[in-house]
Amino acid sequence: NDIHLDDHDVSPTHANLLRKSTGYQINLLDRSKKIYLNGEVVRRGLLKYGDRVKLGRFELTLMEGSPPKEEQRKELETLERLVQFSAKLMEETNPSALFERLLEDVVLLTAAEKGFIIVIKDGTRHLAASHNIKSSVSSLSKVSDTIVDRVIESKEPLIVSNALSDQTFRQAQSVIDLKISSVMCVPLVYRKDLLGVIYLGNDAITGLFEQKTLKILTVWSSQAALILHTALMLNELQISNKNLREQLNQTGQGKIIGSCTPMKKVFHLIKRLAPTDLSILILGETGTGKELVAKELHEQSDRKKKPFISINCGAIPENLLESELFGHKKGAFTGAVTDKIGKFEAAHGGTIFLDEIGEMPMNLQVKLLRVLQERKIERVGELKARQIDIRVISATNKNLEDEIKEGRFREDLFYRLAEVTIQLPPLRERGTDIHDLALFFLNKYGEQYASDAKGFSSGAIQAMLSYYWPGNVRQLESRIKKASIMSENSMLSAEDIGIAGVETKDFRPLDLATEDFKQSYIKEALEIHNWNKAKTARALGVDPRTIFRYIEKFHKD
């Protein structure tokens, strides 16, 4: 074809263009295809200057002109090489290899004999690539050079056609060291940021650079700067992700991420309690990670090689819950066609986690209490007791003390389950942990779904830190996962996460918040000292009367 359009919607003999006395006529040759002339479907049409013809994804415009002259042809060839150059650069993402390839191409384009590329990072110059330069002068990037200094300062290209006779630049360090007679130096600028400079030189007087060569080099450097900036950003992001993974490993406990004060307290309790067989009750709002804490207690215990069995007491119908917990004998009830072991028996030697324990029916609470006391279970429909060796960890988002007052939870069972309690903070009270968790989820789902998203805008970070997060960590993970898949932005915004302009944390007046902290802190100190008022006062460095006054407040509340 005279004109080849690379598109599967354009056939090899799609149409032809004929010159007529009245102008040019386009004719459809392949009846299975279409031609659009100025937006309308036609089989043939007479073209006027300015008319638009659409074939597949291409749009051609008829322009008045004449066949290109030799100079124009060379310019077209240069542009074609620029396209090829851009394609080659985009195939490479390693910054070091990119700089080498860039220098190789511009040397061929300009017929330069020597050259180097300097990258500027944090105000310091680094030699990124060099061509035909001896190692003795490879430290050129670290010295002050008049030509390089001028381009860095002005961010404008510079040509010194005859450096040997130039009054300003003939004493430049590069001219002297490299023994060159002609110099071109152009900046690599992305928007307003200076990434570095390309420096080219020729030795012979016969190879002096011209202004038109500088113009071509400037165009190439502009195109290269865009690609280089993307590669450098990607490289920094990869390093940042690696550092983030290392940081998360250092600022968490197992698979739990967190470095705020409340989470440090949780980690301390896990470390202290994991080696014991104490029954632990984990308290916290929905989505705060109660099961993760239970698993971490199991993983740090002597039982870690034995089963960890989890059961959600609120997700199983009441009539099936006893069978799920303790198992059943064949024929015990309709549908019991085989013997079945329960969760407690399956957890023998390991840990059983009873999630949403506050949802357990009263009749099962009695049986659970007996199991905890005797460490024996009876399958439904079977009188034989089976000895079990288990550790029990439970969790709830309810206030079990209130449930006891309302007669919905047994007090004796509560004390069996809650030999020690661990209180998990809601996400809104975990400060910068929110950002750390968001980055972890973004990295996780970004890799899983090959997402374009690589970070968060400053507005998104601020919105995440001030949002109320009623669903806690589970809600954060869900929002980041969705945004990773749906957003086409490299930096996720508050809109992408779905928290723009929505409910934020309710901040209390500072004096009230301070008083709440004092009460919580004093109550914790009293519990540690078995409510011995004198010891607590000494530990806190206050008058015993202060402790008495706060105890009276606790009773009133």
Side-chain angles (χ1 to χ4, degrees), residues 400-416:
L400 292 186
E401 292 178 350
D402 289 345
E403 294 293 299
I404 292 168
K405 291 176 184 177
E406 297 294 327
R408 292 191 291 267
F409 201 85
R410 294 182 62 94
E411 187 173 10
D412 47 3
L413 176 60
F414 171 75
Y415 290 120
R416 280 286 181 181

Side-chain angles (χ1 to χ4, degrees), residues 379-393:
R379 294 182 181 178
V380 177
E382 185 179 72
L383 298 178
K384 176 186 175 183
R386 298 171 183 267
Q387 194 76 34
I388 54 170
D389 171 25
I390 55 169
R391 186 200 193 158
V392 178
I393 301 174

Side-chain angles (χ1 to χ4, degrees), residues 514-532:
T514 304
E515 183 61 26
D516 287 346
F517 171 76
K518 284 182 179 180
Q519 290 193 31
S520 174
Y521 196 66
I522 291 171
K523 187 178 286 188
E524 181 183 353
L526 281 164
E527 289 175 355
I528 290 172
H529 293 92
N530 295 316
W531 287 79
N532 184 306

Side-chain angles (χ1 to χ4, degrees), residues 195-231:
L195 306 180
V197 297
I198 302 174
Y199 183 108
L200 299 175
N202 271 340
D203 295 351
I205 295 293
T206 55
L208 301 181
F209 292 126
E210 299 177 355
Q211 282 290 339
K212 63 180 181 180
T213 310
L214 179 65
K215 288 181 181 179
I216 294 171
L217 181 60
T218 303
V219 172
W220 280 48
S221 67
S222 299
Q223 182 69 16
L226 175 61
I227 299 167
L228 288 168
H229 177 266
T230 303

